[in-house]
Amino acid sequence: MLTDRVHPGDVIEVFLQKRIIVCGCLNIKKNKLHVLCETGRELNIPESRAIHITRNRFDPGRSNSEILAGLREISRNRGSRVMQLDLADLWEQLNAEGTTLSLSDLAELAFSEGDRADNEAVLNRAIYADKNYFTPEGNTVRIQTRSHIEKTLTRREKEKTEETEKETIGQWLIARRNNQAVSDPPAAIRFINALKALATDAQDQPDRTWLKDILQRARQPSDDAFSLLLNLGVFDADENLDLVKYPFYRHCSPQTENELESIPDDFAEHEGKNRLNLRHLTTFTVDSAETKDMDDAISVDTLDDGIIQIGIHITDASAFVQPGSFLDQEAREKAQTLYMPDDIIHMFPRRFSEQIASLVTGTDRLALSTLVTFDPEGAMTGYRIVPSVIHIHDRFSYEEVSSEIDSPVFAPILRITSRLRRERLAQGAVIMPRPELTIRVDENRRVTLHVRERETESQIIVSELMILANFLAARTAADKKCPFPFRYQDPPTEDIPVAAVRFDPLIAYRQRRLMNRAGSSIDPRSHFSLGLSCYTNVTSPLRRYFDLLAQRQLKAIVDHEEPYGADELAMLIYETDAAVTRANAVVMNREKYWLLKYFKGLTGKTIKGIVLDKLPHRYLIWLSETCTQADFPAPFGISLQPGQEVRVILERSDPQQNILKLRLQE
């Protein structure tokens, strides 16, 4: 702060509009300086605004035009002299970093001649313009340290480079928009990655400000990053933004590939020496015709006295995938295979899931086999779980099993699994026969919907045997009092409506609303909807990391090896459940995208529906033909009841904006 008071006739310098302005003090009014600026404006400013004073430089009684001409001449002269002053050279000559000098003393060192006040003003201007070497502190100047100067110069160089980058990319964008052939600038990758983060609304966007500055220079809107990436040829029109947001789903590291290559072709033969040889059992898989990652198989064998042994054989993925390996780490991050209408992203690399560990017909495979015996009436009499080596003799689709359900192979299995289901129902199990909707996208991006009943006889056989294997694995762990990846579901607080044999969308909706969500625990707890005292998921280790954890723990129990400790297992389950939630959201988002794409082709058409519930200002309905839920605005003056059949008109479907607009056909 300047200590001497300003008087009329003095020339002062002040900061106005981010630059130093020369002003002349005409008079003083109410403790404020009435000044005429070199810009021609007259202002009233406090004395504290002055950063430099030159005494008695003009006669305040002269005309404003004469004073203004003099002020402008002073400003021009001082400005031109600033350009000739080398602050870096002055700093080196002083060799006094970290100390302070008065402005007048420093001006004497900087200039050998000239008016003293003008010299001070010129030096003051130079210091305010570049505070790297000197910092003004009232009437004194602090001489900066060398480390400060080096840091500042480095920062400025970085800012200069970034400014050049932004200008270059901005011009590149304009050229691309005008369909000009231009090469990509060096910072194009950074720019595109920043655009992707913006398009996916990523939480971590370090280049957000940098990006928006570039878009502003190129006169490009910042609220439509998707369209810009599409125009640049980076995105596809149907780009899966979740996979852009989570790139690890598509990633397979070289280290993982090396681990796959290290698995010998005779792995099953070599490892099978220490396992129960079950190659003699007629073992087969039952899956959809499109399935390639087959991780479960079935065998049936008639023993003495009419005893039937059913084998539930699960591919032993844990034999290949060691905890902490690269295969394990990538599977742990993905948590499960993503089955989407237009893509399948395996939890493990495709070659492992579809070849090395898949239960392919005609191959020997390592397995964890649950061998269950039943008496002639179908009551379970015993079981054992053993590491094994099996041979896959055949493969059936669900349709093929249904067509041969009365054969000597499938008839006894159906009889036993039907009894297993009745026993679960007697224990309070709830059957929810909701149809399964499959959305398929062909190479021309044509969307088709396929609805499949889940309660066919072939479906019951497979689902009941997998439930049985999961239950017996959980019971084995519970009997051993070993920490284990258990699954549970607490009972609801209200009675659950019972569904008929056929699917009823209203009952199914009410069932789902009343049901508690299933959870995970390292301690055994009952599972309400399955009607079981304990439960786990162990039958899909190629597709779910939770099942791989359960398989490892189960093998440790039956082989009397060291299992996961309680704390470690609890942490792994917690992480896996969170990753599963994320993966499920990715799949659901993609299914909804393609469903909306399908609906877009039905714009203007009428669709049948059943009212499920009345929400505030809206109705929730079940669209029967597509087996999906939707909602529409409640029409004025019309009251609809749950279960009522309605017809709605599809007004708009926008997959990119996640919009489906329906209205009631009145």
Side-chain angles (χ1 to χ4, degrees):
M1 179 178 177
L2 299 172
T3 56
D4 297 331
R5 295 181 62 82
V6 179
H7 300 89
D10 292 346
V11 170
I12 65 172
E13 292 192 338
V14 298
F15 264 116
L16 285 176
Q17 299 177 342
K18 298 182 179 180
R19 69 187 185 97
I20 293 177
I21 301 292
V22 174
C23 303
C25 180
L26 302 178
N27 54 54
I28 300 174
K29 297 179 179 180
K30 298 180 180 180
N31 296 323
K32 286 195 174 183
L33 309 181
H34 181 65
V35 299
L36 174 64
C37 301
E38 62 176 288
T39 60
R41 295 178 60 194
E42 292 188 33
L43 301 172
N44 293 317
I45 62 173
E47 186 177 329
S48 59
R49 293 283 299 276
I51 63 172
H52 186 265
I53 304 171
T54 305
R55 301 293 183 190
N56 302 318
R57 290 300 295 266
F58 69 94
D59 181 0
R62 301 179 70 177
S63 68
N64 279 10
S65 59
E66 291 178 305
I67 296 172
L68 184 60
L71 294 175
R72 288 174 175 172
E73 180 65 22
I74 291 172
S75 181
R76 278 194 298 272
N77 289 337
R78 290 178 176 178
S80 63
R81 290 184 64 195
V82 167
M83 302 299 293
Q84 301 169 10
L85 186 59
D86 188 343
L87 291 182
D89 183 61
L90 178 60
W91 182 88
E92 289 286 358
Q93 291 181 31
L94 288 172
N95 193 25
E97 59 179 284
T99 62
T100 58
L101 283 175
S102 67
L103 180 64
S104 59
D105 289 344
L106 189 57
E108 287 184 10
L109 294 170
F111 301 101
S112 58
E113 57 184 18
D115 181 80
R116 178 177 178 178
D118 279 339
N119 289 345
E120 290 179 5
V122 170
L123 180 60
N124 206 40
R125 281 184 173 221
I127 290 173
Y128 270 97
D130 182 1
K131 297 178 182 178
N132 186 32
Y133 299 95
F134 305 95
T135 302
E137 295 180 352
N139 287 329
T140 63
V141 177
R142 175 166 295 279
I143 304 170
Q144 297 288 16
T145 63
R146 186 175 298 277
S147 62
H148 170 85
I149 293 170
E150 290 174 350
K151 288 179 182 177
T152 303
L153 291 176
T154 300
R155 175 177 54 80
R156 287 181 180 176
E157 187 62 31
K158 182 179 178 182
E159 290 172 351
K160 181 180 178 181
T161 301
E162 194 164 276
E163 184 67 21
T164 303
E165 278 184 354
K166 290 191 283 190
E167 186 63 29
T168 302
I169 295 176
Q171 294 301 317
W172 171 69
L173 276 178
I174 293 172
R176 291 291 298 267
R177 190 168 60 218
N178 295 331
N179 296 320
Q180 298 175 9
V182 289
S183 58
D184 293 345
I189 294 176
R190 178 186 176 191
F191 173 74
I192 288 170
N193 287 336
L195 266 183
K196 288 179 178 179
L198 184 63
T200 58
D201 196 25
Q203 291 183 350
D204 185 19
Q205 298 187 43
D207 287 333
R208 189 182 184 93
T209 303
W210 177 81
L211 172 67
K212 290 197 171 183
D213 190 13
I214 293 172
L215 295 177
Q216 188 175 15
R217 291 170 189 236
R219 295 176 183 166
Q220 184 77 35
S222 60
D223 58 351
D224 195 5
F226 185 95
S227 294
L228 180 53
L229 287 163
L230 182 63
N231 293 335
L232 290 172
V234 177
F235 272 5
D236 182 87
D238 298 309
E239 192 74 30
N240 188 332
L241 292 182
D242 282 323
L243 297 186
V244 176
K245 188 174 184 178
Y246 306 118
F248 59 82
Y249 282 118
R250 283 178 168 153
H251 177 71
C252 182
S253 69
Q255 295 91 336
T256 300
E257 291 290 352
N258 290 338
E259 287 183 355
L260 285 179
E261 292 297 329
S262 67
I263 299 174
D265 294 336
D266 61 348
F267 189 87
E269 181 179 350
H270 175 73
E271 292 296 319
K273 295 175 182 177
N274 301 319
R275 294 166 174 261
L276 185 63
N277 185 355
L278 298 179
R279 291 181 178 90
H280 63 284
L281 296 178
T282 302
T283 303
F284 54 88
T285 60
V286 180
D287 265 302
S288 64
E290 300 83 9
T291 301
K292 295 181 180 179
D293 52 341
M294 293 164 288
D295 45 19
D296 58 82
I298 302 167
S299 65
V300 58
D301 194 23
T302 301
L303 307 179
D304 295 336
D305 300 324
I307 298 296
I308 296 175
Q309 175 182 273
I310 292 181
I312 307 157
H313 311 277
I314 309 302
T315 186
D316 191 354
S318 64
F320 302 90
V321 185
Q322 301 306 310
S325 64
F326 289 102
L327 272 170
D328 180 65
Q329 291 175 40
E330 291 186 10
R332 179 175 168 182
E333 189 171 30
K334 294 174 184 176
Q336 67 182 41
T337 295
L338 306 184
Y339 294 98
M340 296 174 287
D342 57 334
D343 198 6
I344 296 176
I345 297 180
H346 293 281
M347 183 175 76
F348 292 110
R350 183 181 295 271
R351 191 164 70 88
F352 182 82
S353 296
E354 296 185 354
Q355 298 176 31
I356 295 174
S358 181
L359 303 184
V360 179
T361 303
T363 63
D364 288 352
R365 288 292 184 259
L366 303 181
L368 192 61
S369 298
T370 302
L371 304 174
V372 193
T373 54
F374 299 87
D375 66 21
E377 284 71 42
M380 188 174 73
T381 59
Y383 76 96
R384 57 177 175 151
I385 301 173
V386 293
S388 64
V389 57
I390 60 176
H391 182 81
I392 311 302
H393 290 80
D394 211 341
R395 170 179 180 164
F396 297 94
S397 67
Y398 287 105
E399 293 75 15
E400 289 171 333
V401 172
S402 294
S403 66
E404 300 179 31
I405 200 66
D406 294 326
S407 69
V409 174
F410 298 119
I413 303 178
L414 178 61
R415 179 168 54 84
I416 288 170
T417 52
S418 297
R419 174 167 176 160
L420 289 171
R421 172 169 285 205
R422 289 194 301 272
E423 290 172 351
R424 288 198 303 110
L425 287 170
Q427 295 297 320
V430 178
I431 304 299
M432 294 184 286
R434 179 171 176 162
E436 180 181 17
L437 173 66
T438 302
I439 306 168
R440 292 175 180 160
V441 181
D442 65 18
E443 62 276 8
N444 298 316
R445 303 191 185 187
R446 185 174 59 249
V447 185
T448 55
L449 306 185
H450 302 266
V451 178
R452 185 179 70 175
E453 294 295 330
R454 288 182 173 177
E455 291 302 294
T456 64
E457 291 170 323
S458 58
Q459 293 276 348
I460 290 173
I461 284 177
V462 175
S463 65
E464 286 298 327
L465 288 182
M466 296 307 119
I467 290 172
L468 176 62
N470 287 329
F471 166 65
L472 294 177
R475 192 167 85 175
T476 298
D479 290 345
K480 296 289 185 181
K481 295 182 171 49
C482 178
F484 197 74
F486 292 102
R487 295 287 290 170
Y488 70 90
Q489 184 184 44
D490 292 330
T493 56
E494 300 179 33
D495 291 338
I496 296 290
V498 178
V501 176
R502 294 182 59 82
F503 172 69
D504 184 320
L506 182 57
I507 290 179
Y509 169 72
R510 290 174 173 171
Q511 285 178 333
R512 292 171 69 88
R513 286 196 63 191
L514 293 172
M515 289 282 194
N516 288 308
R517 295 186 61 155
S520 304
S521 170
I522 62 171
D523 299 310
R525 294 169 60 177
S526 63
H527 197 295
F528 172 77
S529 63
L530 293 176
L532 297 171
S533 59
C534 58
Y535 196 66
T536 188
N537 287 326
V538 74
T539 55
S540 294
L542 292 182
R543 311 176 190 187
R544 297 189 297 241
Y545 192 76
F546 187 98
D547 296 45
L548 179 62
L549 290 176
Q551 186 178 73
R552 285 174 177 162
Q553 200 75 339
L554 184 59
K555 275 182 65 180
I557 293 171
V558 299
D559 282 346
H560 307 289
E561 296 178 353
E562 186 68 27
Y564 284 116
D567 292 342
E568 182 183 11
L569 185 61
M571 179 199 68
L572 287 169
I573 292 173
Y574 176 81
E575 290 180 356
T576 302
D577 283 350
V580 166
T581 299
R582 179 186 60 215
N584 285 338
V586 172
V587 173
M588 289 175 61
N589 290 342
R590 202 57 179 166
E591 288 178 342
K592 189 169 185 181
Y593 175 88
W594 287 110
L595 187 61
L596 290 173
K597 198 96 169 178
Y598 175 83
F599 280 137
K600 192 172 183 178
L602 301 180
T603 302
K605 296 188 177 180
T606 301
I607 304 174
K608 295 179 181 179
I610 297 174
V611 177
L612 298 178
D613 205 351
K614 183 176 183 180
L615 308 174
H617 312 296
R618 306 188 75 78
Y619 282 100
L620 182 68
I621 62 171
W622 174 261
L623 302 178
S624 306
E625 295 177 12
T626 58
C627 294
T628 54
Q629 290 184 9
D631 61 67
F632 63 90
F636 179 75
I638 298 178
S639 179
L640 303 175
Q641 301 302 316
Q644 183 176 342
E645 293 187 1
V646 295
R647 291 176 179 268
V648 292
I649 297 174
L650 199 158
E651 293 189 321
R652 181 190 173 200
S653 180
D654 188 333
Q656 290 290 350
Q657 300 298 322
N658 193 24
I659 294 173
L660 178 64
K661 189 175 181 181
L662 307 171
R663 67 175 172 85
L664 183 68
Q665 183 184 55
E666 301 180 14

